Amino acid sequence: MLKKILKLDEELAQDVPRSNKVHSVTAIFNTPDEIIHAARETSNAGYDKYDVYTPYPVHGMDAAMRLKDTMVGKFAFVAGLAGLTTAVSMIGYMSGIDYKNIIGGKPYFNLTASVPIMFELTILLTGVLSIFGMLLLWNKLPQISNPLHDTDFMKWASTEKYGIAIEADDAQFDIEKVKSFLAGVGGKDVGVVYFPEENLVKRTPIFEKKFIYLLIVVAIVTALGGYGAIGKLVNILPYDWMHNQFKVTPQQPSTLFKDGRSMQRPVDGTVARGFMPYEYTGMPDSLVKLLSNPVPMSEFSIERGKKQFNTYCSPCHGYFGQGDSRLNGQFPNPPTLHSKKVRDWADGNIYNVMTNGQNVMPSYAKQISRDDRWAIVNYIRVLQRAENAKDTDLP
């Protein structure tokens, strides 16, 4: 196999046979000023099908060649717009039409939550379509070699000289006139480049045996390398230290505890450091006594309570606490928060219902923090006062 690879490498290194079909006429220049002058004169002479080759970017070359704006940027913009449109349409259809689901009282189509997906799909389509467009439209694959490759012209133009090539498909191309023109603008080593024979065949070069053999070799090397790295290397010292150690594996019984469980529940009565348990846990609101609101009524706490209420409470109680659920009969409607019973409740009673739950309403102790629950109580008081305003409340 190694001999075949070395033989294939030697064959690829040999100069490819050239045909009699002219690709271009080339010339070499010694300084950046000379190539700038030659590019400007070539453009002034009316040649369109030509290109300049330099070992590094030369300032002012775009203006000298009178280059037009490339289509790559416009193509990338259209590709990105297609990605953004696809993301918006996909999310809108999924969340707004195909699978409606109320999450925390948010609208079906949530723009803020959709931004990451829209951004990722925009970038993805921009990159992928730009690469394929560049390869297929501008580089015109499957041609995998340029006639200028493996020529003395390219060797000089890619190292320490500067070169210009006027292609044969230019409307004004006449091989003798082009030679005379390039010599007249200071060109050295004026020569003719012919198409390689492999570029003139109609069969695509990707089906060449050499290319297929190369793909097979790359696939075999990649498979063996991956198998060796993932299947063998990680299981030998010292790379297996993280893998082979005393640890708890998911879905596997533990030999440390008698019940076979890896994670144990805290001992009954365990209190976390710095945490004060709720003393009315599991008790009805009628037993709640001497529980005052530690969050003062302020504009900040009201806004905070409003945000939490609209997120967790409004799907069932409605935005104004009137019991007008937004779930369209998918869940029993709760009573209004403006009844005399609730208005006469102390703040602690409302807090207790949110903490312990009541009837079909579950506990929200794990979803809403203590301070946020008290802030919700403040906001409910504001709603109740607005619903039952007094004459003295008028300015």
Side-chain angles (χ1 to χ4, degrees):
M1 178 62 73
L2 180 61
K3 292 181 178 178
K4 291 183 178 180
I5 295 175
L6 294 176
K7 184 179 179 180
L8 177 62
D9 184 68
E10 292 177 357
E11 293 176 354
L12 292 174
Q14 294 177 355
D15 292 338
V16 295
R18 298 276 173 168
S19 67
N20 295 323
K21 185 177 180 180
V22 176
H23 169 265
S24 59
V25 175
T26 62
I28 294 295
F29 298 84
N30 293 325
T31 66
D33 292 339
E34 289 181 5
I35 193 64
I36 287 283
H37 170 72
R40 187 178 294 112
E41 292 299 321
T42 303
S43 179
N44 292 337
Y47 291 105
D48 293 326
K49 302 293 185 180
Y50 76 96
D51 209 345
V52 174
Y53 300 87
T54 62
Y56 57 86
V58 176
H59 293 292
M61 184 58 70
D62 293 357
M65 296 178 66
R66 297 180 181 175
L67 292 179
K68 299 179 181 177
D69 293 336
T70 176
M71 291 294 295
V72 175
K74 298 176 181 176
F75 186 86
F77 175 77
V78 174
L81 192 61
L84 178 62
T85 304
T86 302
V88 174
S89 303
M90 178 184 68
I91 299 172
Y93 172 76
M94 289 180 176
S95 59
I97 299 176
D98 185 52
Y99 194 74
K100 295 181 179 179
N101 199 358
I102 297 177
I103 301 176
K106 297 182 176 63
Y108 294 133
F109 180 79
N110 191 322
L111 179 61
T112 305
S114 303
V115 167
I117 302 174
M118 295 160 59
F119 173 78
E120 295 291 346
L121 204 54
T122 300
I123 297 300
L124 177 65
L125 286 193
T126 301
V128 172
L129 293 183
S130 296
I131 291 176
F132 279 100
M134 184 180 66
L135 295 178
L136 300 178
L137 298 179
W138 288 283
N139 291 353
K140 300 187 184 304
L141 286 182
Q143 178 179 324
I144 59 176
S145 65
N146 190 292
L148 294 176
H149 291 171
D150 299 329
T151 62
D152 292 338
F153 165 79
M154 185 54 66
K155 293 177 183 177
W156 285 111
S158 59
T159 54
E160 55 183 298
K161 302 290 184 179
Y162 312 85
I164 186 169
I166 300 178
E167 300 178 5
D169 55 354
D170 188 280
Q172 303 185 63
F173 187 82
D174 181 278
I175 189 168
E176 296 302 329
K177 291 182 178 178
V178 172
K179 286 182 177 180
S180 176
F181 169 76
L182 291 177
V185 296
K188 310 292 190 304
D189 298 330
V190 177
V192 180
V193 175
Y194 297 92
F195 277 97
E197 292 182 354
E198 65 181 14
N199 280 20
L200 300 180
V201 296
K202 295 182 179 178
R203 185 178 58 181
T204 175
I206 63 175
F207 295 113
E208 289 287 339
K209 291 183 179 179
K210 297 177 182 178
F211 184 68
I212 295 177
Y213 289 157
L214 179 62
L215 290 180
I216 294 175
V217 171
V218 171
I220 293 175
V221 172
T222 304
L224 292 178
Y227 175 75
I230 301 176
K232 298 296 182 182
L233 184 62
V234 297
N235 294 319
I236 62 176
L237 290 172
Y239 305 107
D240 63 341
W241 287 354
M242 294 292 290
H243 180 67
N244 297 323
Q245 61 175 312
F246 182 77
K247 60 185 178 182
V248 176
T249 306
Q251 305 300 325
Q252 296 297 321
S254 171
T255 58
L256 183 62
F257 300 103
K258 292 182 179 179
D259 59 0
R261 294 185 177 184
S262 301
M263 298 185 65
Q264 299 293 309
R265 297 177 61 85
V267 178
D268 291 341
T270 301
V271 178
R273 185 186 297 272
F275 176 79
M276 180 62 70
Y278 181 56
E279 59 184 313
Y280 297 104
T281 300
M283 299 182 183
D285 61 272
S286 58
L287 297 180
V288 177
K289 307 292 183 183
L290 304 177
L291 183 61
S292 60
N293 190 342
V295 177
M297 181 72 75
S298 64
E299 183 177 356
F300 174 78
S301 70
I302 293 173
E303 286 297 326
R304 182 179 179 180
K306 178 181 179 181
K307 181 178 180 181
Q308 299 297 322
F309 181 89
N310 289 340
T311 301
Y312 294 102
C313 310
S314 69
C316 293
H317 288 280
Y319 283 114
F320 302 104
Q322 296 174 332
D324 49 344
S325 170
R326 296 187 286 111
L327 300 180
N328 299 318
Q330 300 179 56
F331 199 77
N333 284 11
T336 176
L337 299 178
H338 300 281
S339 64
K340 187 176 185 303
K341 172 186 175 183
V342 179
R343 283 189 283 120
D344 290 342
W345 266 356
D347 288 355
N349 296 111
I350 302 176
Y351 178 87
N352 184 71
V353 171
M354 285 188 285
T355 304
N356 287 329
Q358 187 180 65
N359 299 326
V360 296
M361 174 180 166
S363 167
Y364 279 82
K366 295 182 179 179
Q367 292 93 331
I368 310 175
S369 68
R370 291 186 173 187
D371 287 346
D372 284 343
R373 274 175 270 162
W374 285 117
I376 290 175
V377 173
N378 288 343
Y379 181 65
I380 291 175
R381 294 305 189 196
V382 171
L383 292 177
Q384 292 173 341
R385 186 62 177 271
E387 186 76 12
N388 302 276
K390 302 176 182 177
D391 294 339
T392 55
D393 294 330
L394 296 175

